[in-house]
Amino acid sequence: SLAQAADLIAIDPGHGGADGGAKGGLPAGTVTGLPTRIDSDGRTLILEKDVNLDIGFRLNGYLVGRGYTTLMTRNTDNAGGDVPYTTEGADLQARVRIANTAGATIFVSIHNNALTSTTSGTETYQYYYASTQSKALAQILHRQLVAALGLPDRGVRSAGYYVLKNTNMPAVLLEGAFLSNPNEALILADANVRQRMAEAIGAETVTYVSNIFKYYVAYRIMVQDRAARQRAREGFSQPAGGVGGGV
């Protein structure tokens, strides 16, 4: 539809290139559908950058298949903008610049986590001073991702991550599961699970941009219009000659 075509959804698969992100160990011979990664000791690894990109592609396919316009901040095993990784700062700046320049409607950053071998669960991040729209997006995506994975709910949290602070649109950062936990590394190694994650994120993204976001935009316009009319009624509108009413 025209409404769908007007929405531009920025999908941000975290990490890439020399920045592998979190990593986990897998039993030898585990089929993942991801690039084969072996460490110097011959152990099979799963890297966050690969998981994130795979989920990003699946989410992109889900949304495009439903008529939405998308952009990916990276489409290859590189930094943001599909350029070789140099520094974290340059990578993050490129991701934000891509979304802001394109005028994206929302920004969804896909990540997975690491802490200890027993840490478990799903968490979602919004900026410390997130807008009402961002908070709503974080809540609905988080709720659906928790349901899709069936892991402990670690809640929606606030953080000052660069991609949340500097994007000009509602933005969230999703942390699906802990690659440092062998059980959750195996979960993320399953292509069916990654598809389920993408579809959960996609379904709630559609709900948000087609209903909630448009409600907030319409409400904001209504409030601004009402305030302008009130100022006009009270005689606070600026005179035609400008401040001071000069001739």
Side-chain angles (χ1 to χ4, degrees), residues 76-114:
T76 59
D77 183 16
N78 281 292
D82 290 316
V83 300
Y85 182 89
T86 54
T87 66
E88 180 180 16
D91 177 29
L92 298 177
Q93 288 166 18
R95 295 167 188 269
V96 168
R97 184 169 58 251
I98 289 166
N100 285 347
T101 301
T105 305
I106 64 170
F107 182 94
V108 180
S109 191
I110 299 169
H111 285 256
N112 286 280
N113 228 331

PDB file of all heavy atoms in Angstrom, residues 76-114:
ATOM      1  N   THR A  76      26.907  -7.094   4.281  1.00  0.00           N
ATOM      2  CA  THR A  76      28.056  -7.990   4.146  1.00  0.00           C
ATOM      3  C   THR A  76      28.773  -8.089   5.482  1.00  0.00           C
ATOM      4  O   THR A  76      28.427  -7.392   6.448  1.00  0.00           O
ATOM      5  CB  THR A  76      29.037  -7.459   3.082  1.00  0.00           C
ATOM      6  OG1 THR A  76      29.481  -6.156   3.485  1.00  0.00           O
ATOM      7  CG2 THR A  76      28.372  -7.368   1.711  1.00  0.00           C
ATOM      8  N   ASP A  77      29.799  -8.924   5.526  1.00  0.00           N
ATOM      9  CA  ASP A  77      30.608  -9.058   6.734  1.00  0.00           C
ATOM     10  C   ASP A  77      31.603  -7.910   6.804  1.00  0.00           C
ATOM     11  O   ASP A  77      32.814  -8.077   6.652  1.00  0.00           O
ATOM     12  CB  ASP A  77      31.331 -10.411   6.740  1.00  0.00           C
ATOM     13  CG  ASP A  77      32.144 -10.622   8.017  1.00  0.00           C
ATOM     14  OD1 ASP A  77      31.917  -9.880   9.000  1.00  0.00           O
ATOM     15  OD2 ASP A  77      33.010 -11.516   8.031  1.00  0.00           O
ATOM     16  N   ASN A  78      31.058  -6.714   7.006  1.00  0.00           N
ATOM     17  CA  ASN A  78      31.843  -5.499   7.107  1.00  0.00           C
ATOM     18  C   ASN A  78      31.216  -4.595   8.155  1.00  0.00           C
ATOM     19  O   ASN A  78      30.235  -4.955   8.798  1.00  0.00           O
ATOM     20  CB  ASN A  78      31.896  -4.775   5.756  1.00  0.00           C
ATOM     21  CG  ASN A  78      32.903  -5.403   4.805  1.00  0.00           C
ATOM     22  OD1 ASN A  78      34.112  -5.336   5.037  1.00  0.00           O
ATOM     23  ND2 ASN A  78      32.411  -6.016   3.732  1.00  0.00           N
ATOM     24  N   ALA A  79      31.793  -3.401   8.297  1.00  0.00           N
ATOM     25  CA  ALA A  79      31.228  -2.414   9.210  1.00  0.00           C
ATOM     26  C   ALA A  79      30.010  -1.762   8.575  1.00  0.00           C
ATOM     27  O   ALA A  79      29.631  -2.078   7.436  1.00  0.00           O
ATOM     28  CB  ALA A  79      32.293  -1.373   9.556  1.00  0.00           C
ATOM     29  N   GLY A  80      29.390  -0.834   9.307  1.00  0.00           N
ATOM     30  CA  GLY A  80      28.251  -0.111   8.782  1.00  0.00           C
ATOM     31  C   GLY A  80      28.573   0.581   7.477  1.00  0.00           C
ATOM     32  O   GLY A  80      29.647   1.162   7.323  1.00  0.00           O
ATOM     33  N   GLY A  81      27.650   0.488   6.519  1.00  0.00           N
ATOM     34  CA  GLY A  81      27.893   1.031   5.191  1.00  0.00           C
ATOM     35  C   GLY A  81      28.655   0.086   4.299  1.00  0.00           C
ATOM     36  O   GLY A  81      29.056   0.457   3.189  1.00  0.00           O
ATOM     37  N   ASP A  82      28.866  -1.149   4.775  1.00  0.00           N
ATOM     38  CA  ASP A  82      29.578  -2.182   3.998  1.00  0.00           C
ATOM     39  C   ASP A  82      30.986  -1.747   3.610  1.00  0.00           C
ATOM     40  O   ASP A  82      31.446  -1.980   2.491  1.00  0.00           O
ATOM     41  CB  ASP A  82      28.764  -2.585   2.760  1.00  0.00           C
ATOM     42  CG  ASP A  82      27.508  -3.357   3.128  1.00  0.00           C
ATOM     43  OD1 ASP A  82      27.597  -4.241   3.991  1.00  0.00           O
ATOM     44  OD2 ASP A  82      26.437  -3.052   2.583  1.00  0.00           O
ATOM     45  N   VAL A  83      31.656  -1.092   4.553  1.00  0.00           N
ATOM     46  CA  VAL A  83      33.059  -0.744   4.353  1.00  0.00           C
ATOM     47  C   VAL A  83      33.888  -1.523   5.371  1.00  0.00           C
ATOM     48  O   VAL A  83      33.371  -1.947   6.405  1.00  0.00           O
ATOM     49  CB  VAL A  83      33.298   0.771   4.522  1.00  0.00           C
ATOM     50  CG1 VAL A  83      32.477   1.558   3.513  1.00  0.00           C
ATOM     51  CG2 VAL A  83      32.963   1.230   5.942  1.00  0.00           C
ATOM     52  N   PRO A  84      35.176  -1.734   5.097  1.00  0.00           N
ATOM     53  CA  PRO A  84      36.007  -2.471   6.052  1.00  0.00           C
ATOM     54  C   PRO A  84      35.994  -1.810   7.432  1.00  0.00           C
ATOM     55  O   PRO A  84      35.982  -0.583   7.555  1.00  0.00           O
ATOM     56  CB  PRO A  84      37.403  -2.418   5.428  1.00  0.00           C
ATOM     57  CG  PRO A  84      37.138  -2.272   3.969  1.00  0.00           C
ATOM     58  CD  PRO A  84      35.913  -1.401   3.866  1.00  0.00           C
ATOM     59  N   TYR A  85      35.983  -2.637   8.457  1.00  0.00           N
ATOM     60  CA  TYR A  85      35.963  -2.131   9.830  1.00  0.00           C
ATOM     61  C   TYR A  85      37.288  -1.453  10.157  1.00  0.00           C
ATOM     62  O   TYR A  85      38.357  -2.009   9.910  1.00  0.00           O
ATOM     63  CB  TYR A  85      35.715  -3.282  10.808  1.00  0.00           C
ATOM     64  CG  TYR A  85      35.634  -2.852  12.248  1.00  0.00           C
ATOM     65  CD1 TYR A  85      34.421  -2.468  12.808  1.00  0.00           C
ATOM     66  CD2 TYR A  85      36.779  -2.820  13.041  1.00  0.00           C
ATOM     67  CE1 TYR A  85      34.341  -2.066  14.139  1.00  0.00           C
ATOM     68  CE2 TYR A  85      36.708  -2.416  14.370  1.00  0.00           C
ATOM     69  CZ  TYR A  85      35.491  -2.038  14.909  1.00  0.00           C
ATOM     70  OH  TYR A  85      35.415  -1.640  16.225  1.00  0.00           O
ATOM     71  N   THR A  86      37.215  -0.240  10.722  1.00  0.00           N
ATOM     72  CA  THR A  86      38.420   0.463  11.175  1.00  0.00           C
ATOM     73  C   THR A  86      38.358   0.698  12.675  1.00  0.00           C
ATOM     74  O   THR A  86      39.174   0.178  13.433  1.00  0.00           O
ATOM     75  CB  THR A  86      38.586   1.804  10.430  1.00  0.00           C
ATOM     76  OG1 THR A  86      37.370   2.576  10.570  1.00  0.00           O
ATOM     77  CG2 THR A  86      38.885   1.582   8.958  1.00  0.00           C
ATOM     78  N   THR A  87      37.364   1.468  13.100  1.00  0.00           N
ATOM     79  CA  THR A  87      37.179   1.726  14.528  1.00  0.00           C
ATOM     80  C   THR A  87      35.709   1.604  14.888  1.00  0.00           C
ATOM     81  O   THR A  87      34.833   1.724  14.028  1.00  0.00           O
ATOM     82  CB  THR A  87      37.641   3.146  14.908  1.00  0.00           C
ATOM     83  OG1 THR A  87      36.786   4.107  14.275  1.00  0.00           O
ATOM     84  CG2 THR A  87      39.092   3.380  14.502  1.00  0.00           C
ATOM     85  N   GLU A  88      35.443   1.406  16.158  1.00  0.00           N
ATOM     86  CA  GLU A  88      34.059   1.315  16.614  1.00  0.00           C
ATOM     87  C   GLU A  88      33.325   2.626  16.351  1.00  0.00           C
ATOM     88  O   GLU A  88      32.175   2.629  15.908  1.00  0.00           O
ATOM     89  CB  GLU A  88      34.016   0.987  18.105  1.00  0.00           C
ATOM     90  CG  GLU A  88      32.609   0.873  18.663  1.00  0.00           C
ATOM     91  CD  GLU A  88      32.577   0.554  20.142  1.00  0.00           C
ATOM     92  OE1 GLU A  88      33.614   0.707  20.815  1.00  0.00           O
ATOM     93  OE2 GLU A  88      31.500   0.161  20.639  1.00  0.00           O
ATOM     94  N   GLY A  89      34.002   3.751  16.598  1.00  0.00           N
ATOM     95  CA  GLY A  89      33.372   5.040  16.383  1.00  0.00           C
ATOM     96  C   GLY A  89      32.947   5.249  14.946  1.00  0.00           C
ATOM     97  O   GLY A  89      31.824   5.681  14.669  1.00  0.00           O
ATOM     98  N   ALA A  90      33.845   4.934  14.009  1.00  0.00           N
ATOM     99  CA  ALA A  90      33.519   5.105  12.592  1.00  0.00           C
ATOM    100  C   ALA A  90      32.372   4.186  12.187  1.00  0.00           C
ATOM    101  O   ALA A  90      31.500   4.579  11.397  1.00  0.00           O
ATOM    102  CB  ALA A  90      34.752   4.823  11.740  1.00  0.00           C
ATOM    103  N   ASP A  91      32.364   2.984  12.723  1.00  0.00           N
ATOM    104  CA  ASP A  91      31.315   2.017  12.409  1.00  0.00           C
ATOM    105  C   ASP A  91      29.954   2.529  12.874  1.00  0.00           C
ATOM    106  O   ASP A  91      28.981   2.572  12.109  1.00  0.00           O
ATOM    107  CB  ASP A  91      31.653   0.682  13.086  1.00  0.00           C
ATOM    108  CG  ASP A  91      30.587  -0.381  12.894  1.00  0.00           C
ATOM    109  OD1 ASP A  91      29.886  -0.353  11.864  1.00  0.00           O
ATOM    110  OD2 ASP A  91      30.463  -1.255  13.780  1.00  0.00           O
ATOM    111  N   LEU A  92      29.884   2.947  14.128  1.00  0.00           N
ATOM    112  CA  LEU A  92      28.611   3.401  14.683  1.00  0.00           C
ATOM    113  C   LEU A  92      28.120   4.683  14.010  1.00  0.00           C
ATOM    114  O   LEU A  92      26.928   4.844  13.742  1.00  0.00           O
ATOM    115  CB  LEU A  92      28.746   3.616  16.192  1.00  0.00           C
ATOM    116  CG  LEU A  92      29.103   2.365  17.008  1.00  0.00           C
ATOM    117  CD1 LEU A  92      29.277   2.712  18.477  1.00  0.00           C
ATOM    118  CD2 LEU A  92      28.059   1.274  16.837  1.00  0.00           C
ATOM    119  N   GLN A  93      29.048   5.586  13.722  1.00  0.00           N
ATOM    120  CA  GLN A  93      28.672   6.827  13.044  1.00  0.00           C
ATOM    121  C   GLN A  93      28.083   6.540  11.669  1.00  0.00           C
ATOM    122  O   GLN A  93      27.107   7.179  11.257  1.00  0.00           O
ATOM    123  CB  GLN A  93      29.891   7.738  12.916  1.00  0.00           C
ATOM    124  CG  GLN A  93      30.333   8.359  14.237  1.00  0.00           C
ATOM    125  CD  GLN A  93      31.716   8.975  14.172  1.00  0.00           C
ATOM    126  OE1 GLN A  93      32.225   9.253  13.079  1.00  0.00           O
ATOM    127  NE2 GLN A  93      32.337   9.191  15.317  1.00  0.00           N
ATOM    128  N   ALA A  94      28.660   5.583  10.963  1.00  0.00           N
ATOM    129  CA  ALA A  94      28.150   5.233   9.634  1.00  0.00           C
ATOM    130  C   ALA A  94      26.731   4.689   9.720  1.00  0.00           C
ATOM    131  O   ALA A  94      25.861   5.047   8.912  1.00  0.00           O
ATOM    132  CB  ALA A  94      29.066   4.217   8.971  1.00  0.00           C
ATOM    133  N   ARG A  95      26.465   3.850  10.701  1.00  0.00           N
ATOM    134  CA  ARG A  95      25.130   3.268  10.853  1.00  0.00           C
ATOM    135  C   ARG A  95      24.078   4.356  11.101  1.00  0.00           C
ATOM    136  O   ARG A  95      22.995   4.351  10.509  1.00  0.00           O
ATOM    137  CB  ARG A  95      25.140   2.249  11.996  1.00  0.00           C
ATOM    138  CG  ARG A  95      26.027   1.042  11.729  1.00  0.00           C
ATOM    139  CD  ARG A  95      26.268   0.218  12.999  1.00  0.00           C
ATOM    140  NE  ARG A  95      27.267  -0.809  12.779  1.00  0.00           N
ATOM    141  CZ  ARG A  95      27.021  -2.047  12.374  1.00  0.00           C
ATOM    142  NH1 ARG A  95      25.773  -2.419  12.145  1.00  0.00           N
ATOM    143  NH2 ARG A  95      27.994  -2.922  12.196  1.00  0.00           N
ATOM    144  N   VAL A  96      24.411   5.270  12.000  1.00  0.00           N
ATOM    145  CA  VAL A  96      23.490   6.361  12.317  1.00  0.00           C
ATOM    146  C   VAL A  96      23.304   7.271  11.111  1.00  0.00           C
ATOM    147  O   VAL A  96      22.180   7.687  10.790  1.00  0.00           O
ATOM    148  CB  VAL A  96      24.018   7.149  13.534  1.00  0.00           C
ATOM    149  CG1 VAL A  96      23.255   8.460  13.699  1.00  0.00           C
ATOM    150  CG2 VAL A  96      23.910   6.304  14.798  1.00  0.00           C
ATOM    151  N   ARG A  97      24.403   7.588  10.438  1.00  0.00           N
ATOM    152  CA  ARG A  97      24.328   8.483   9.276  1.00  0.00           C
ATOM    153  C   ARG A  97      23.445   7.889   8.181  1.00  0.00           C
ATOM    154  O   ARG A  97      22.640   8.603   7.557  1.00  0.00           O
ATOM    155  CB  ARG A  97      25.735   8.739   8.733  1.00  0.00           C
ATOM    156  CG  ARG A  97      25.777   9.742   7.584  1.00  0.00           C
ATOM    157  CD  ARG A  97      27.206  10.147   7.265  1.00  0.00           C
ATOM    158  NE  ARG A  97      28.042   9.013   6.912  1.00  0.00           N
ATOM    159  CZ  ARG A  97      29.018   8.518   7.680  1.00  0.00           C
ATOM    160  NH1 ARG A  97      29.297   9.072   8.854  1.00  0.00           N
ATOM    161  NH2 ARG A  97      29.733   7.479   7.280  1.00  0.00           N
ATOM    162  N   ILE A  98      23.559   6.602   7.948  1.00  0.00           N
ATOM    163  CA  ILE A  98      22.752   5.934   6.926  1.00  0.00           C
ATOM    164  C   ILE A  98      21.261   6.087   7.233  1.00  0.00           C
ATOM    165  O   ILE A  98      20.462   6.459   6.367  1.00  0.00           O
ATOM    166  CB  ILE A  98      23.140   4.451   6.817  1.00  0.00           C
ATOM    167  CG1 ILE A  98      24.526   4.307   6.180  1.00  0.00           C
ATOM    168  CG2 ILE A  98      22.100   3.661   6.024  1.00  0.00           C
ATOM    169  CD1 ILE A  98      25.128   2.922   6.349  1.00  0.00           C
ATOM    170  N   ALA A  99      20.879   5.815   8.477  1.00  0.00           N
ATOM    171  CA  ALA A  99      19.465   5.887   8.855  1.00  0.00           C
ATOM    172  C   ALA A  99      18.955   7.320   8.848  1.00  0.00           C
ATOM    173  O   ALA A  99      17.860   7.602   8.356  1.00  0.00           O
ATOM    174  CB  ALA A  99      19.267   5.256  10.230  1.00  0.00           C
ATOM    175  N   ASN A 100      19.743   8.242   9.399  1.00  0.00           N
ATOM    176  CA  ASN A 100      19.304   9.636   9.466  1.00  0.00           C
ATOM    177  C   ASN A 100      19.196  10.262   8.083  1.00  0.00           C
ATOM    178  O   ASN A 100      18.237  10.976   7.778  1.00  0.00           O
ATOM    179  CB  ASN A 100      20.273  10.451  10.331  1.00  0.00           C
ATOM    180  CG  ASN A 100      20.115  10.174  11.824  1.00  0.00           C
ATOM    181  OD1 ASN A 100      19.149   9.564  12.241  1.00  0.00           O
ATOM    182  ND2 ASN A 100      21.064  10.636  12.608  1.00  0.00           N
ATOM    183  N   THR A 101      20.189  10.004   7.233  1.00  0.00           N
ATOM    184  CA  THR A 101      20.187  10.590   5.888  1.00  0.00           C
ATOM    185  C   THR A 101      19.004  10.082   5.073  1.00  0.00           C
ATOM    186  O   THR A 101      18.389  10.832   4.308  1.00  0.00           O
ATOM    187  CB  THR A 101      21.503  10.265   5.156  1.00  0.00           C
ATOM    188  OG1 THR A 101      22.594  10.789   5.910  1.00  0.00           O
ATOM    189  CG2 THR A 101      21.526  10.867   3.765  1.00  0.00           C
ATOM    190  N   ALA A 102      18.671   8.819   5.254  1.00  0.00           N
ATOM    191  CA  ALA A 102      17.557   8.228   4.504  1.00  0.00           C
ATOM    192  C   ALA A 102      16.198   8.645   5.061  1.00  0.00           C
ATOM    193  O   ALA A 102      15.172   8.445   4.413  1.00  0.00           O
ATOM    194  CB  ALA A 102      17.675   6.711   4.506  1.00  0.00           C
ATOM    195  N   GLY A 103      16.180   9.209   6.261  1.00  0.00           N
ATOM    196  CA  GLY A 103      14.907   9.590   6.870  1.00  0.00           C
ATOM    197  C   GLY A 103      14.086   8.395   7.304  1.00  0.00           C
ATOM    198  O   GLY A 103      12.865   8.365   7.116  1.00  0.00           O
ATOM    199  N   ALA A 104      14.742   7.397   7.901  1.00  0.00           N
ATOM    200  CA  ALA A 104      14.047   6.173   8.322  1.00  0.00           C
ATOM    201  C   ALA A 104      12.942   6.490   9.323  1.00  0.00           C
ATOM    202  O   ALA A 104      13.040   7.436  10.117  1.00  0.00           O
ATOM    203  CB  ALA A 104      15.031   5.187   8.927  1.00  0.00           C
ATOM    204  N   THR A 105      11.895   5.686   9.284  1.00  0.00           N
ATOM    205  CA  THR A 105      10.775   5.830  10.208  1.00  0.00           C
ATOM    206  C   THR A 105      11.138   5.305  11.584  1.00  0.00           C
ATOM    207  O   THR A 105      10.825   5.920  12.606  1.00  0.00           O
ATOM    208  CB  THR A 105       9.549   5.064   9.677  1.00  0.00           C
ATOM    209  OG1 THR A 105       9.251   5.517   8.354  1.00  0.00           O
ATOM    210  CG2 THR A 105       8.334   5.262  10.567  1.00  0.00           C
ATOM    211  N   ILE A 106      11.781   4.126  11.624  1.00  0.00           N
ATOM    212  CA  ILE A 106      12.257   3.536  12.872  1.00  0.00           C
ATOM    213  C   ILE A 106      13.601   2.870  12.615  1.00  0.00           C
ATOM    214  O   ILE A 106      13.980   2.611  11.461  1.00  0.00           O
ATOM    215  CB  ILE A 106      11.269   2.506  13.473  1.00  0.00           C
ATOM    216  CG1 ILE A 106      11.105   1.302  12.534  1.00  0.00           C
ATOM    217  CG2 ILE A 106       9.933   3.143  13.802  1.00  0.00           C
ATOM    218  CD1 ILE A 106      10.347   0.149  13.170  1.00  0.00           C
ATOM    219  N   PHE A 107      14.320   2.578  13.703  1.00  0.00           N
ATOM    220  CA  PHE A 107      15.654   1.979  13.643  1.00  0.00           C
ATOM    221  C   PHE A 107      15.666   0.785  14.587  1.00  0.00           C
ATOM    222  O   PHE A 107      15.448   0.944  15.797  1.00  0.00           O
ATOM    223  CB  PHE A 107      16.688   3.021  14.063  1.00  0.00           C
ATOM    224  CG  PHE A 107      18.125   2.581  14.012  1.00  0.00           C
ATOM    225  CD1 PHE A 107      18.904   2.822  12.887  1.00  0.00           C
ATOM    226  CD2 PHE A 107      18.712   1.960  15.104  1.00  0.00           C
ATOM    227  CE1 PHE A 107      20.248   2.455  12.843  1.00  0.00           C
ATOM    228  CE2 PHE A 107      20.052   1.590  15.083  1.00  0.00           C
ATOM    229  CZ  PHE A 107      20.821   1.834  13.946  1.00  0.00           C
ATOM    230  N   VAL A 108      15.907  -0.417  14.044  1.00  0.00           N
ATOM    231  CA  VAL A 108      15.926  -1.644  14.843  1.00  0.00           C
ATOM    232  C   VAL A 108      17.322  -2.255  14.765  1.00  0.00           C
ATOM    233  O   VAL A 108      17.736  -2.735  13.706  1.00  0.00           O
ATOM    234  CB  VAL A 108      14.868  -2.652  14.356  1.00  0.00           C
ATOM    235  CG1 VAL A 108      14.916  -3.919  15.197  1.00  0.00           C
ATOM    236  CG2 VAL A 108      13.472  -2.029  14.382  1.00  0.00           C
ATOM    237  N   SER A 109      18.048  -2.211  15.878  1.00  0.00           N
ATOM    238  CA  SER A 109      19.407  -2.741  15.929  1.00  0.00           C
ATOM    239  C   SER A 109      19.383  -4.151  16.512  1.00  0.00           C
ATOM    240  O   SER A 109      18.865  -4.364  17.613  1.00  0.00           O
ATOM    241  CB  SER A 109      20.296  -1.824  16.769  1.00  0.00           C
ATOM    242  OG  SER A 109      21.660  -2.167  16.627  1.00  0.00           O
ATOM    243  N   ILE A 110      19.936  -5.095  15.767  1.00  0.00           N
ATOM    244  CA  ILE A 110      19.872  -6.513  16.142  1.00  0.00           C
ATOM    245  C   ILE A 110      21.208  -6.950  16.724  1.00  0.00           C
ATOM    246  O   ILE A 110      22.254  -6.843  16.077  1.00  0.00           O
ATOM    247  CB  ILE A 110      19.520  -7.375  14.924  1.00  0.00           C
ATOM    248  CG1 ILE A 110      18.156  -6.966  14.378  1.00  0.00           C
ATOM    249  CG2 ILE A 110      19.540  -8.855  15.287  1.00  0.00           C
ATOM    250  CD1 ILE A 110      17.839  -7.569  13.032  1.00  0.00           C
ATOM    251  N   HIS A 111      21.148  -7.456  17.954  1.00  0.00           N
ATOM    252  CA  HIS A 111      22.345  -7.925  18.646  1.00  0.00           C
ATOM    253  C   HIS A 111      22.043  -9.214  19.400  1.00  0.00           C
ATOM    254  O   HIS A 111      20.887  -9.598  19.560  1.00  0.00           O
ATOM    255  CB  HIS A 111      22.828  -6.874  19.650  1.00  0.00           C
ATOM    256  CG  HIS A 111      23.506  -5.700  19.021  1.00  0.00           C
ATOM    257  ND1 HIS A 111      24.866  -5.523  19.041  1.00  0.00           N
ATOM    258  CD2 HIS A 111      23.001  -4.643  18.340  1.00  0.00           C
ATOM    259  CE1 HIS A 111      25.176  -4.400  18.406  1.00  0.00           C
ATOM    260  NE2 HIS A 111      24.056  -3.845  17.963  1.00  0.00           N
ATOM    261  N   ASN A 112      23.120  -9.851  19.855  1.00  0.00           N
ATOM    262  CA  ASN A 112      23.019 -10.928  20.821  1.00  0.00           C
ATOM    263  C   ASN A 112      24.113 -10.699  21.848  1.00  0.00           C
ATOM    264  O   ASN A 112      25.009  -9.884  21.641  1.00  0.00           O
ATOM    265  CB  ASN A 112      23.083 -12.287  20.134  1.00  0.00           C
ATOM    266  CG  ASN A 112      21.783 -12.604  19.407  1.00  0.00           C
ATOM    267  OD1 ASN A 112      20.808 -13.026  20.008  1.00  0.00           O
ATOM    268  ND2 ASN A 112      21.756 -12.355  18.104  1.00  0.00           N
ATOM    269  N   ASN A 113      24.054 -11.409  22.956  1.00  0.00           N
ATOM    270  CA  ASN A 113      24.723 -10.965  24.165  1.00  0.00           C
ATOM    271  C   ASN A 113      25.863 -11.869  24.615  1.00  0.00           C
ATOM    272  O   ASN A 113      26.035 -12.981  24.099  1.00  0.00           O
ATOM    273  CB  ASN A 113      23.670 -10.879  25.285  1.00  0.00           C
ATOM    274  CG  ASN A 113      23.722  -9.593  26.041  1.00  0.00           C
ATOM    275  OD1 ASN A 113      24.770  -8.975  26.149  1.00  0.00           O
ATOM    276  ND2 ASN A 113      22.581  -9.175  26.575  1.00  0.00           N
ATOM    277  N   ALA A 114      26.608 -11.390  25.602  1.00  0.00           N
ATOM    278  CA  ALA A 114      27.645 -12.200  26.245  1.00  0.00           C
ATOM    279  C   ALA A 114      27.857 -11.697  27.660  1.00  0.00           C
ATOM    280  O   ALA A 114      27.866 -10.488  27.901  1.00  0.00           O
ATOM    281  CB  ALA A 114      28.949 -12.139  25.468  1.00  0.00           C
TER     282      ALA A 114
END
